[in-house]
Amino acid sequence: MRTLISTAFVSLDGVVEAPGGEPGYRNSGWTVKHVDFLPEAFEIKGREQSEATALLLGRVSYQAFSPVWPDMEEFPEYRKMPKYVVSTTLTEDDLVTNWGETTILRSLDEVAALKQTEGGPIIVHGSAALNRGLSDAGLIDRYHLLVFPLLLGAGKRLFSDADNDARKLRLVEHEVYANGLQKNVFDVVH
């Protein structure tokens, strides 16, 4: 069974929306506006590219990333790895042609089936709504969280507010950096 990893830049109060400067959000760009950049704090991002064997995205994140990420020097490994987009509305005609093999999955059941296939870890970037659905369905195995020392208030949350049973997490890696950023890697105890 493949490991499904959710990776996120998240504020201390759980907001993941508009971390890089997407227009239209009050606190857009919060990852660069409010915290000094330290390369060592982002080491996990390079490691994720080298360890992941597939990329899973929700429709909104796919539509935001696909025009930009294929040509970015920072994400060379993602160009060649298979991509999966969870969407009930996208069609094959909506997919970009310069970002490698992309498959549309129509449901969380199809994500669960993908996890049962042979292969290495599947990584989820962005995709707040998808993350909440995956978590509620018990499909996430690990979280890679870079927690920013910010309280943003409004915005999309990484974690669901559904009245679920408690899920235990096991901290397997952590570090705190001079800029206040915290790296927390948690395995979900199934």
Side-chain angles (χ1 to χ4, degrees), residues 123-184:
I123 194 141
V124 183
H125 281 277
S127 308
L130 176 60
N131 264 289
R132 291 188 299 274
L134 292 168
S135 178
D136 288 348
L139 294 173
I140 296 176
D141 301 298
R142 176 173 275 194
Y143 289 95
H144 289 184
L145 304 177
L146 286 178
V147 182
F148 285 70
L150 298 169
L151 299 174
L152 297 174
K156 290 181 185 175
R157 307 283 174 186
L158 178 64
F159 299 105
S160 172
D161 63 358
D163 188 14
N164 294 318
D165 290 337
R167 279 208 185 92
K168 184 173 172 80
L169 304 176
R170 181 174 44 253
L171 184 66
V172 295
E173 183 181 341
H174 64 92
E175 195 159 348
V176 178
Y177 302 95
N179 61 359
L181 203 62
Q182 298 175 33
K183 173 180 62 181
N184 294 306

Short mmCIF file of all heavy atoms in Angstrom, two decimals, residues 123-184:
data_model
loop_
_atom_site.label_atom_id
_atom_site.label_comp_id
_atom_site.label_asym_id
_atom_site.label_seq_id
_atom_site.Cartn_x
_atom_site.Cartn_y
_atom_site.Cartn_z
N ILE A 123 2.25 12.45 -2.87
CA ILE A 123 2.28 13.69 -2.09
C ILE A 123 1.17 14.63 -2.55
O ILE A 123 0.90 14.74 -3.75
CB ILE A 123 3.66 14.35 -2.16
CG1 ILE A 123 3.78 15.42 -1.09
CG2 ILE A 123 3.98 14.89 -3.52
CD1 ILE A 123 5.12 15.47 -0.44
N VAL A 124 0.53 15.28 -1.59
CA VAL A 124 -0.55 16.23 -1.85
C VAL A 124 -0.05 17.62 -1.48
O VAL A 124 0.30 17.86 -0.33
CB VAL A 124 -1.81 15.91 -1.02
CG1 VAL A 124 -2.93 16.88 -1.38
CG2 VAL A 124 -2.24 14.48 -1.20
N HIS A 125 -0.02 18.53 -2.45
CA HIS A 125 0.34 19.93 -2.22
C HIS A 125 -0.93 20.78 -2.31
O HIS A 125 -1.79 20.53 -3.16
CB HIS A 125 1.32 20.44 -3.29
CG HIS A 125 2.72 20.02 -3.08
ND1 HIS A 125 3.57 20.70 -2.25
CD2 HIS A 125 3.43 18.99 -3.59
CE1 HIS A 125 4.75 20.13 -2.26
NE2 HIS A 125 4.69 19.08 -3.06
N GLY A 126 -0.99 21.84 -1.49
CA GLY A 126 -2.15 22.72 -1.56
C GLY A 126 -3.42 21.94 -1.29
O GLY A 126 -3.48 21.17 -0.35
N SER A 127 -4.43 22.17 -2.12
CA SER A 127 -5.61 21.31 -2.14
C SER A 127 -6.32 21.23 -0.79
O SER A 127 -6.56 20.15 -0.26
CB SER A 127 -5.23 19.91 -2.64
OG SER A 127 -4.52 20.00 -3.86
N ALA A 128 -6.68 22.37 -0.23
CA ALA A 128 -7.29 22.42 1.10
C ALA A 128 -8.55 21.57 1.20
O ALA A 128 -8.69 20.76 2.12
CB ALA A 128 -7.59 23.86 1.50
N ALA A 129 -9.47 21.73 0.26
CA ALA A 129 -10.72 20.96 0.32
C ALA A 129 -10.43 19.47 0.17
O ALA A 129 -11.01 18.64 0.88
CB ALA A 129 -11.69 21.44 -0.77
N LEU A 130 -9.55 19.12 -0.74
CA LEU A 130 -9.19 17.71 -0.91
C LEU A 130 -8.57 17.16 0.37
O LEU A 130 -8.90 16.06 0.80
CB LEU A 130 -8.23 17.55 -2.09
CG LEU A 130 -7.69 16.14 -2.32
CD1 LEU A 130 -8.81 15.14 -2.59
CD2 LEU A 130 -6.68 16.14 -3.48
N ASN A 131 -7.66 17.92 0.99
CA ASN A 131 -7.04 17.47 2.23
C ASN A 131 -8.08 17.17 3.30
O ASN A 131 -7.98 16.16 4.01
CB ASN A 131 -6.06 18.53 2.75
CG ASN A 131 -4.65 18.23 2.33
OD1 ASN A 131 -4.03 17.30 2.82
ND2 ASN A 131 -4.13 19.03 1.41
N ARG A 132 -9.06 18.04 3.44
CA ARG A 132 -10.09 17.81 4.45
C ARG A 132 -10.87 16.53 4.14
O ARG A 132 -11.15 15.73 5.03
CB ARG A 132 -11.01 19.02 4.56
CG ARG A 132 -10.29 20.24 5.17
CD ARG A 132 -11.23 21.39 5.47
NE ARG A 132 -11.91 21.93 4.31
CZ ARG A 132 -11.42 22.88 3.51
NH1 ARG A 132 -10.23 23.40 3.74
NH2 ARG A 132 -12.13 23.31 2.47
N GLY A 133 -11.20 16.32 2.87
CA GLY A 133 -11.91 15.10 2.49
C GLY A 133 -11.08 13.85 2.70
O GLY A 133 -11.58 12.84 3.20
N LEU A 134 -9.80 13.94 2.33
CA LEU A 134 -8.90 12.79 2.52
C LEU A 134 -8.76 12.45 4.00
O LEU A 134 -8.77 11.27 4.38
CB LEU A 134 -7.53 13.09 1.92
CG LEU A 134 -7.44 13.21 0.41
CD1 LEU A 134 -6.10 13.80 -0.01
CD2 LEU A 134 -7.68 11.86 -0.27
N SER A 135 -8.63 13.48 4.83
CA SER A 135 -8.51 13.26 6.27
C SER A 135 -9.78 12.64 6.83
O SER A 135 -9.73 11.66 7.59
CB SER A 135 -8.19 14.58 6.97
OG SER A 135 -8.12 14.39 8.36
N ASP A 136 -10.93 13.21 6.47
CA ASP A 136 -12.20 12.67 6.96
C ASP A 136 -12.38 11.21 6.55
O ASP A 136 -12.98 10.42 7.29
CB ASP A 136 -13.38 13.50 6.44
CG ASP A 136 -13.49 14.86 7.11
OD1 ASP A 136 -12.81 15.10 8.14
OD2 ASP A 136 -14.25 15.71 6.59
N ALA A 137 -11.85 10.84 5.38
CA ALA A 137 -11.98 9.46 4.88
C ALA A 137 -10.88 8.55 5.44
O ALA A 137 -10.85 7.35 5.12
CB ALA A 137 -11.94 9.45 3.36
N GLY A 138 -9.98 9.09 6.23
CA GLY A 138 -8.90 8.27 6.81
C GLY A 138 -7.85 7.85 5.81
O GLY A 138 -7.20 6.82 5.98
N LEU A 139 -7.65 8.65 4.75
CA LEU A 139 -6.72 8.27 3.69
C LEU A 139 -5.32 8.87 3.83
O LEU A 139 -4.39 8.42 3.16
CB LEU A 139 -7.30 8.64 2.32
CG LEU A 139 -8.57 7.87 1.93
CD1 LEU A 139 -9.16 8.43 0.64
CD2 LEU A 139 -8.27 6.38 1.80
N ILE A 140 -5.14 9.87 4.68
CA ILE A 140 -3.82 10.48 4.85
C ILE A 140 -3.01 9.66 5.84
O ILE A 140 -3.50 9.29 6.92
CB ILE A 140 -3.93 11.94 5.30
CG1 ILE A 140 -4.61 12.77 4.20
CG2 ILE A 140 -2.55 12.53 5.64
CD1 ILE A 140 -4.87 14.21 4.57
N ASP A 141 -1.77 9.36 5.47
CA ASP A 141 -0.88 8.57 6.32
C ASP A 141 0.16 9.41 7.04
O ASP A 141 0.69 8.99 8.07
CB ASP A 141 -0.14 7.52 5.46
CG ASP A 141 -1.09 6.60 4.76
OD1 ASP A 141 -1.85 5.89 5.44
OD2 ASP A 141 -1.11 6.61 3.50
N ARG A 142 0.50 10.57 6.47
CA ARG A 142 1.57 11.39 7.04
C ARG A 142 1.30 12.86 6.70
O ARG A 142 0.78 13.17 5.64
CB ARG A 142 2.91 10.96 6.47
CG ARG A 142 4.08 11.81 6.93
CD ARG A 142 5.41 11.25 6.48
NE ARG A 142 5.80 10.26 7.47
CZ ARG A 142 7.01 9.75 7.57
NH1 ARG A 142 7.95 10.09 6.72
NH2 ARG A 142 7.29 8.87 8.49
N TYR A 143 1.70 13.72 7.63
CA TYR A 143 1.65 15.17 7.40
C TYR A 143 3.06 15.74 7.47
O TYR A 143 3.80 15.43 8.40
CB TYR A 143 0.81 15.87 8.48
CG TYR A 143 -0.66 15.61 8.37
CD1 TYR A 143 -1.26 14.60 9.12
CD2 TYR A 143 -1.45 16.38 7.53
CE1 TYR A 143 -2.63 14.36 9.03
CE2 TYR A 143 -2.82 16.15 7.44
CZ TYR A 143 -3.40 15.14 8.18
OH TYR A 143 -4.74 14.90 8.09
N HIS A 144 3.41 16.54 6.48
CA HIS A 144 4.63 17.36 6.50
C HIS A 144 4.16 18.79 6.65
O HIS A 144 3.65 19.38 5.70
CB HIS A 144 5.40 17.24 5.18
CG HIS A 144 6.05 15.93 4.96
ND1 HIS A 144 6.85 15.70 3.86
CD2 HIS A 144 6.08 14.79 5.68
CE1 HIS A 144 7.31 14.46 3.91
NE2 HIS A 144 6.85 13.89 5.00
N LEU A 145 4.32 19.36 7.83
CA LEU A 145 3.80 20.69 8.09
C LEU A 145 4.94 21.66 8.39
O LEU A 145 5.76 21.40 9.26
CB LEU A 145 2.84 20.68 9.28
CG LEU A 145 1.66 19.71 9.18
CD1 LEU A 145 0.83 19.74 10.44
CD2 LEU A 145 0.81 20.02 7.95
N LEU A 146 4.96 22.75 7.65
CA LEU A 146 5.82 23.88 8.00
C LEU A 146 4.88 24.91 8.60
O LEU A 146 4.06 25.52 7.91
CB LEU A 146 6.55 24.44 6.78
CG LEU A 146 7.70 23.56 6.28
CD1 LEU A 146 8.34 24.16 5.04
CD2 LEU A 146 8.76 23.38 7.36
N VAL A 147 4.96 25.05 9.93
CA VAL A 147 4.05 25.90 10.68
C VAL A 147 4.69 27.27 10.87
O VAL A 147 5.78 27.39 11.43
CB VAL A 147 3.72 25.27 12.05
CG1 VAL A 147 2.71 26.15 12.81
CG2 VAL A 147 3.17 23.86 11.87
N PHE A 148 3.99 28.29 10.38
CA PHE A 148 4.47 29.67 10.43
C PHE A 148 3.94 30.33 11.69
O PHE A 148 2.77 30.15 12.04
CB PHE A 148 4.03 30.43 9.19
CG PHE A 148 4.82 30.06 7.97
CD1 PHE A 148 4.67 28.82 7.37
CD2 PHE A 148 5.73 30.95 7.41
CE1 PHE A 148 5.40 28.47 6.25
CE2 PHE A 148 6.47 30.62 6.30
CZ PHE A 148 6.32 29.38 5.71
N PRO A 149 4.77 31.13 12.37
CA PRO A 149 4.34 31.78 13.61
C PRO A 149 3.44 32.98 13.33
O PRO A 149 3.81 34.13 13.59
CB PRO A 149 5.68 32.19 14.25
CG PRO A 149 6.58 32.45 13.08
CD PRO A 149 6.16 31.43 12.04
N LEU A 150 2.28 32.69 12.78
CA LEU A 150 1.32 33.73 12.40
C LEU A 150 -0.08 33.28 12.76
O LEU A 150 -0.42 32.09 12.67
CB LEU A 150 1.35 33.95 10.88
CG LEU A 150 2.63 34.45 10.25
CD1 LEU A 150 2.53 34.36 8.73
CD2 LEU A 150 2.90 35.87 10.68
N LEU A 151 -0.90 34.23 13.14
CA LEU A 151 -2.33 34.01 13.29
C LEU A 151 -3.01 34.83 12.20
O LEU A 151 -2.91 36.04 12.18
CB LEU A 151 -2.81 34.47 14.68
CG LEU A 151 -2.17 33.75 15.85
CD1 LEU A 151 -2.62 34.39 17.17
CD2 LEU A 151 -2.50 32.27 15.84
N LEU A 152 -3.65 34.14 11.26
CA LEU A 152 -4.23 34.82 10.10
C LEU A 152 -5.74 35.01 10.21
O LEU A 152 -6.31 35.81 9.48
CB LEU A 152 -3.90 34.05 8.83
CG LEU A 152 -2.41 33.95 8.49
CD1 LEU A 152 -2.20 33.06 7.28
CD2 LEU A 152 -1.81 35.33 8.26
N GLY A 153 -6.38 34.25 11.07
CA GLY A 153 -7.83 34.38 11.21
C GLY A 153 -8.56 33.75 10.05
O GLY A 153 -8.65 32.54 9.96
N ALA A 154 -9.03 34.55 9.13
CA ALA A 154 -9.84 34.05 8.01
C ALA A 154 -8.98 33.30 7.01
O ALA A 154 -7.80 33.57 6.85
CB ALA A 154 -10.54 35.22 7.32
N GLY A 155 -9.61 32.37 6.32
CA GLY A 155 -8.94 31.62 5.26
C GLY A 155 -9.31 30.16 5.29
O GLY A 155 -9.91 29.67 6.25
N LYS A 156 -8.95 29.47 4.23
CA LYS A 156 -9.21 28.03 4.15
C LYS A 156 -8.32 27.32 5.16
O LYS A 156 -7.14 27.64 5.31
CB LYS A 156 -8.91 27.50 2.75
CG LYS A 156 -9.89 27.96 1.71
CD LYS A 156 -9.56 27.38 0.35
CE LYS A 156 -10.48 27.95 -0.70
NZ LYS A 156 -10.09 27.50 -2.05
N ARG A 157 -8.89 26.34 5.78
CA ARG A 157 -8.18 25.56 6.81
C ARG A 157 -7.70 24.24 6.23
O ARG A 157 -8.33 23.66 5.35
CB ARG A 157 -9.11 25.25 7.98
CG ARG A 157 -9.80 26.45 8.57
CD ARG A 157 -8.87 27.23 9.43
NE ARG A 157 -9.52 28.45 9.87
CZ ARG A 157 -8.90 29.37 10.54
NH1 ARG A 157 -7.64 29.23 10.84
NH2 ARG A 157 -9.53 30.46 10.89
N LEU A 158 -6.59 23.78 6.75
CA LEU A 158 -6.06 22.47 6.35
C LEU A 158 -6.92 21.35 6.93
O LEU A 158 -7.20 20.37 6.26
CB LEU A 158 -4.61 22.32 6.80
CG LEU A 158 -3.95 20.97 6.49
CD1 LEU A 158 -3.86 20.76 4.97
CD2 LEU A 158 -2.57 20.90 7.11
N PHE A 159 -7.33 21.53 8.17
CA PHE A 159 -8.01 20.44 8.86
C PHE A 159 -9.52 20.64 8.87
O PHE A 159 -10.03 21.75 8.98
CB PHE A 159 -7.48 20.32 10.29
CG PHE A 159 -6.01 20.01 10.32
CD1 PHE A 159 -5.10 20.99 10.66
CD2 PHE A 159 -5.54 18.76 9.97
CE1 PHE A 159 -3.74 20.73 10.67
CE2 PHE A 159 -4.18 18.48 9.96
CZ PHE A 159 -3.28 19.47 10.32
N SER A 160 -10.22 19.54 8.79
CA SER A 160 -11.68 19.52 8.75
C SER A 160 -12.26 19.97 10.08
O SER A 160 -11.66 19.77 11.14
CB SER A 160 -12.14 18.09 8.44
OG SER A 160 -13.52 17.96 8.58
N ASP A 161 -13.45 20.55 10.02
CA ASP A 161 -14.16 20.87 11.26
C ASP A 161 -15.31 19.89 11.49
O ASP A 161 -16.19 20.12 12.31
CB ASP A 161 -14.64 22.31 11.26
CG ASP A 161 -15.66 22.62 10.17
OD1 ASP A 161 -15.98 21.71 9.37
OD2 ASP A 161 -16.13 23.76 10.11
N ALA A 162 -15.28 18.75 10.77
CA ALA A 162 -16.29 17.71 10.96
C ALA A 162 -16.12 17.09 12.35
O ALA A 162 -15.02 17.06 12.91
CB ALA A 162 -16.15 16.64 9.88
N ASP A 163 -17.21 16.59 12.88
CA ASP A 163 -17.21 15.97 14.20
C ASP A 163 -16.75 14.52 14.07
O ASP A 163 -17.54 13.58 14.17
CB ASP A 163 -18.61 16.08 14.81
CG ASP A 163 -18.65 15.62 16.25
OD1 ASP A 163 -17.58 15.47 16.87
OD2 ASP A 163 -19.77 15.40 16.76
N ASN A 164 -15.45 14.34 13.82
CA ASN A 164 -14.86 13.01 13.63
C ASN A 164 -14.36 12.44 14.95
O ASN A 164 -14.15 13.17 15.92
CB ASN A 164 -13.66 13.10 12.67
CG ASN A 164 -14.08 13.49 11.28
OD1 ASN A 164 -15.08 13.01 10.78
ND2 ASN A 164 -13.32 14.37 10.66
N ASP A 165 -14.13 11.14 14.96
CA ASP A 165 -13.43 10.53 16.09
C ASP A 165 -12.01 11.08 16.12
O ASP A 165 -11.44 11.44 15.08
CB ASP A 165 -13.37 9.00 15.93
CG ASP A 165 -14.74 8.34 16.09
OD1 ASP A 165 -15.63 8.95 16.73
OD2 ASP A 165 -14.91 7.23 15.57
N ALA A 166 -11.43 11.12 17.31
CA ALA A 166 -10.05 11.58 17.46
C ALA A 166 -9.11 10.68 16.66
O ALA A 166 -9.31 9.46 16.60
CB ALA A 166 -9.65 11.58 18.93
N ARG A 167 -8.12 11.29 16.04
CA ARG A 167 -7.07 10.54 15.32
C ARG A 167 -5.75 10.86 15.98
O ARG A 167 -5.37 12.02 16.11
CB ARG A 167 -7.00 10.98 13.86
CG ARG A 167 -8.03 10.32 13.04
CD ARG A 167 -7.60 10.18 11.59
NE ARG A 167 -8.72 9.64 10.87
CZ ARG A 167 -9.62 10.39 10.25
NH1 ARG A 167 -9.50 11.68 10.20
NH2 ARG A 167 -10.64 9.83 9.64
N LYS A 168 -5.05 9.83 16.36
CA LYS A 168 -3.76 10.02 17.02
C LYS A 168 -2.68 10.20 15.95
O LYS A 168 -2.66 9.50 14.94
CB LYS A 168 -3.44 8.82 17.90
CG LYS A 168 -2.17 8.98 18.70
CD LYS A 168 -2.00 7.85 19.68
CE LYS A 168 -0.66 7.90 20.34
NZ LYS A 168 -0.50 8.82 21.40
N LEU A 169 -1.79 11.16 16.21
CA LEU A 169 -0.64 11.41 15.35
C LEU A 169 0.63 11.11 16.14
O LEU A 169 0.68 11.37 17.35
CB LEU A 169 -0.62 12.86 14.88
CG LEU A 169 -1.86 13.37 14.16
CD1 LEU A 169 -1.72 14.86 13.87
CD2 LEU A 169 -2.11 12.59 12.90
N ARG A 170 1.63 10.56 15.47
CA ARG A 170 2.93 10.30 16.10
C ARG A 170 3.96 11.22 15.46
O ARG A 170 4.18 11.17 14.25
CB ARG A 170 3.33 8.84 15.92
CG ARG A 170 4.66 8.49 16.58
CD ARG A 170 5.02 7.01 16.54
NE ARG A 170 4.78 6.38 15.25
CZ ARG A 170 3.79 5.51 14.98
NH1 ARG A 170 2.94 5.16 15.91
NH2 ARG A 170 3.67 4.97 13.78
N LEU A 171 4.57 12.07 16.28
CA LEU A 171 5.61 12.98 15.79
C LEU A 171 6.85 12.17 15.46
O LEU A 171 7.39 11.49 16.31
CB LEU A 171 5.92 14.04 16.86
CG LEU A 171 6.92 15.12 16.48
CD1 LEU A 171 6.36 16.00 15.36
CD2 LEU A 171 7.24 15.98 17.70
N VAL A 172 7.28 12.22 14.18
CA VAL A 172 8.45 11.43 13.76
C VAL A 172 9.64 12.30 13.38
O VAL A 172 10.76 11.79 13.25
CB VAL A 172 8.09 10.47 12.60
CG1 VAL A 172 7.09 9.43 13.06
CG2 VAL A 172 7.57 11.22 11.38
N GLU A 173 9.40 13.60 13.23
CA GLU A 173 10.49 14.52 12.90
C GLU A 173 10.03 15.93 13.24
O GLU A 173 8.89 16.28 12.99
CB GLU A 173 10.81 14.42 11.40
CG GLU A 173 11.96 15.24 10.93
CD GLU A 173 12.20 15.11 9.43
OE1 GLU A 173 11.75 14.13 8.81
OE2 GLU A 173 12.85 16.02 8.89
N HIS A 174 10.93 16.71 13.83
CA HIS A 174 10.57 18.08 14.13
C HIS A 174 11.83 18.92 14.25
O HIS A 174 12.91 18.43 14.56
CB HIS A 174 9.73 18.18 15.41
CG HIS A 174 10.48 17.75 16.63
ND1 HIS A 174 11.19 18.63 17.42
CD2 HIS A 174 10.63 16.54 17.18
CE1 HIS A 174 11.74 17.97 18.41
NE2 HIS A 174 11.43 16.70 18.30
N GLU A 175 11.65 20.19 13.99
CA GLU A 175 12.74 21.15 14.15
C GLU A 175 12.13 22.54 14.22
O GLU A 175 11.10 22.81 13.61
CB GLU A 175 13.71 21.05 12.97
CG GLU A 175 15.02 21.74 13.26
CD GLU A 175 16.16 21.25 12.36
OE1 GLU A 175 16.00 20.23 11.68
OE2 GLU A 175 17.20 21.91 12.36
N VAL A 176 12.77 23.39 15.00
CA VAL A 176 12.37 24.78 15.10
C VAL A 176 13.53 25.62 14.60
O VAL A 176 14.69 25.36 14.91
CB VAL A 176 12.04 25.17 16.56
CG1 VAL A 176 11.66 26.64 16.66
CG2 VAL A 176 10.91 24.29 17.10
N TYR A 177 13.21 26.62 13.78
CA TYR A 177 14.23 27.44 13.14
C TYR A 177 14.27 28.84 13.75
O TYR A 177 13.30 29.28 14.38
CB TYR A 177 13.97 27.49 11.63
CG TYR A 177 13.95 26.11 11.03
CD1 TYR A 177 12.75 25.44 10.85
CD2 TYR A 177 15.13 25.45 10.70
CE1 TYR A 177 12.72 24.15 10.34
CE2 TYR A 177 15.11 24.16 10.19
CZ TYR A 177 13.91 23.52 10.01
OH TYR A 177 13.89 22.24 9.51
N ALA A 178 15.36 29.53 13.54
CA ALA A 178 15.58 30.85 14.12
C ALA A 178 14.51 31.87 13.72
O ALA A 178 14.27 32.83 14.44
CB ALA A 178 16.96 31.37 13.75
N ASN A 179 13.85 31.66 12.59
CA ASN A 179 12.80 32.58 12.15
C ASN A 179 11.43 32.25 12.74
O ASN A 179 10.43 32.86 12.39
CB ASN A 179 12.73 32.62 10.62
CG ASN A 179 12.40 31.28 10.01
OD1 ASN A 179 12.22 30.27 10.71
ND2 ASN A 179 12.32 31.24 8.69
N GLY A 180 11.38 31.25 13.63
CA GLY A 180 10.13 30.87 14.27
C GLY A 180 9.36 29.77 13.56
O GLY A 180 8.38 29.25 14.07
N LEU A 181 9.80 29.42 12.36
CA LEU A 181 9.15 28.36 11.60
C LEU A 181 9.39 27.03 12.30
O LEU A 181 10.46 26.79 12.85
CB LEU A 181 9.75 28.32 10.19
CG LEU A 181 8.95 27.70 9.08
CD1 LEU A 181 7.65 28.45 8.85
CD2 LEU A 181 9.76 27.72 7.80
N GLN A 182 8.37 26.18 12.28
CA GLN A 182 8.48 24.84 12.86
C GLN A 182 8.21 23.79 11.79
O GLN A 182 7.22 23.91 11.06
CB GLN A 182 7.44 24.62 13.96
CG GLN A 182 7.55 25.54 15.13
CD GLN A 182 6.38 25.29 16.08
OE1 GLN A 182 5.90 24.18 16.23
NE2 GLN A 182 5.93 26.36 16.71
N LYS A 183 9.08 22.81 11.72
CA LYS A 183 8.82 21.64 10.86
C LYS A 183 8.28 20.54 11.75
O LYS A 183 8.90 20.19 12.75
CB LYS A 183 10.09 21.17 10.16
CG LYS A 183 9.91 19.87 9.39
CD LYS A 183 11.18 19.41 8.70
CE LYS A 183 12.26 19.12 9.67
NZ LYS A 183 13.52 18.70 9.05
N ASN A 184 7.11 20.04 11.41
CA ASN A 184 6.50 18.93 12.15
C ASN A 184 6.09 17.86 11.15
O ASN A 184 5.28 18.13 10.25
CB ASN A 184 5.27 19.40 12.93
CG ASN A 184 5.61 20.35 14.02
OD1 ASN A 184 6.44 20.06 14.87
ND2 ASN A 184 4.99 21.52 14.02
#
